[in-house]
């Protein structure tokens, strides 16, 4: 499904980051760990097509990112990728359900996989352990842990092919982390989807079939 080859990225005031190559198949669950600042978020942003490639290439189902205009890449991301951002990127004044619905707003193909939007929002909210009563509440009134689940529901709605999750459990205690990961993995369709999660928390490794430790890559 996904292949990265020779990726490098250089922010204006920083060192060049050189990434290990990644190959990901449908059904695969990849955990990326590594020290703070080693480039995990940068790699997810490149895979999401949110950062422009500087060196190397990314192929998604055989389609080369470097052949797509930024407009096409934006649509490609909306159609194929659900992204749980480290900074969550929720719209604070919109309600929980409105934020979750944004996940399919810009993609006809993801929208078409949801037969009843309201029902699907309710299903995701309850499967991720949020109270149904929270649906109408502006998302800014929730705790950070609750907001992380809203961000997860927005990424999961419409079953995108690839889920990118950047530290999605950082605000959760260890019991809630386990519950959250069980729920995410339960909604995951191993015939169609793949997941890349970035985390500092080595204890979540058993939820994944592949672990890449960036610390070893840079050692
Ligand atoms: N917008 C930016 N401008 C300049 N430098 C940046 C920018 N974003 C990230 N960097 C730098 O690039 C490096 C990689 O950052 P990145 O956020 O990808 O690391 P990370 O492994 O995800 O870190 P963390 O685990 O703390 O989230 C860091 O040295 C960071 O300071």
């Amino acid at each position: 499904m996904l292949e990265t080859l020779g990726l490098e990225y250089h922010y204006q005031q920083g060192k060049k980051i050189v990434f290990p190559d990644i190959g990901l198949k449908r059904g695969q669950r990849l955990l990326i760990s590594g020290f703070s600042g080693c480039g995990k978020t940068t790699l997810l942003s490149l895979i999401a097509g949110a950062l422009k490639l500087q060196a190397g290439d990314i192929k998604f189902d055989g389609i080369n990112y470097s052949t797509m205009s930024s407009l096409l890449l934006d649509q490609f991301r909306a159609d194929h990728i659900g992204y749980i951002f480290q900074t969550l990127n929720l719209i604070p004044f919109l309600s929980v359900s409105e934020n979750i619905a944004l996940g399919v707003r810009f993609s006809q193909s993801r929208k078409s996989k949801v037969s009843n939007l309201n029902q699907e929002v309710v299903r995701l909210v309850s499967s991720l352990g949020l109270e149904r009563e929270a649906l109408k509440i502006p998302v800014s009134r929730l705790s950070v842990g609750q907001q992380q689940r809203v961000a997860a529901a927005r990424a999961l709605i419409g079953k995108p092919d690839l889920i990118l999750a950047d530290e999605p459990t950082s605000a959760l205690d260890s019991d809630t982390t386990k519950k959250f990961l069980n729920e995410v993995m339960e909604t995951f369709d191993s015939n169609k989807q793949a997941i890349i999660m970035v985390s500092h928390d080595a204890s979540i490794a058993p939820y994944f079939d592949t672990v890449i430790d960036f610390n070893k890559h840079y050692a």
Side-chain angles (χ1 to χ4, degrees):
M1 163 195 259
L2 182 84
E3 224 180 310
T4 75
L5 204 74
L7 287 184
E8 297 180 359
Y9 199 81
H10 199 172
Y11 288 102
Q12 259 179 358
Q13 285 132 355
K15 285 197 308 205
K16 182 169 77 178
I17 310 170
V18 179
F19 297 98
D21 293 341
I22 288 174
L24 192 75
K25 295 187 173 66
R26 282 191 158 67
Q28 201 169 346
R29 303 162 187 203
L30 168 65
L31 176 67
I32 297 178
S33 60
F35 63 88
S36 180
C38 69
K40 304 180 296 296
T41 298
T42 305
L43 178 63
L44 293 192
S45 302
L46 288 166
I47 292 171
L51 278 181
K52 203 169 156 30
L53 289 178
Q54 294 177 342
D57 218 339
I58 301 177
K59 273 193 217 167
F60 195 122
D61 283 345
I63 302 169
N64 216 314
Y65 278 20
S66 56
T67 64
M68 285 193 262
S69 66
S70 52
L71 210 63
L72 256 180
L73 203 47
D74 284 346
Q75 191 57 54
F76 190 84
R77 173 174 60 247
D79 288 340
H80 298 283
I81 296 177
Y83 198 156
I84 309 173
F85 296 89
Q86 192 170 28
T87 47
L88 304 184
N89 294 9
L90 298 169
I91 314 284
F93 54 85
L94 293 184
S95 68
V96 166
S97 57
E98 286 165 335
N99 267 282
I100 296 172
L102 284 177
V104 293
R105 173 137 183 217
F106 304 103
S107 168
Q108 207 45 53
S109 73
R110 271 175 77 178
K111 207 179 285 173
S112 69
K113 290 189 219 159
V114 177
S115 52
N116 182 318
L117 185 58
N118 286 338
Q119 270 177 20
E120 182 60 2
V121 168
V122 170
R123 189 190 70 78
L124 279 165
V125 157
S126 29
S127 74
L128 290 169
L130 271 171
E131 307 283 317
R132 263 181 86 149
E133 290 69 38
L135 281 170
K136 298 271 176 275
I137 294 176
V139 81
S140 56
R141 295 216 333 242
L142 302 183
S143 72
V144 177
Q146 289 170 319
Q147 290 187 21
Q148 280 184 328
R149 290 154 202 232
V150 177
R154 183 185 57 184
L156 293 168
I157 195 163
K159 293 214 173 290
D161 300 300
L162 177 61
I163 299 151
L164 300 176
D166 198 347
E167 301 277 2
T169 60
S170 60
L172 308 180
D173 60 45
S174 69
D175 277 355
T176 323
T177 291
K178 277 187 206 145
K179 196 164 173 286
F180 173 82
L181 287 171
N182 280 327
E183 285 149 0
V184 168
M185 296 312 178
E186 259 171 42
T187 68
F188 177 80
D189 182 343
S190 56
N191 292 318
K192 297 190 177 133
Q193 295 181 291
I195 183 163
I196 304 178
M197 191 174 288
V198 158
S199 180
H200 290 109
D201 182 0
S203 75
I204 67 172
Y207 288 90
F208 297 84
D209 49 59
T210 316
V211 179
I212 297 181
D213 182 354
F214 273 19
N215 294 336
K216 292 194 180 129
H217 173 69
Y218 292 112

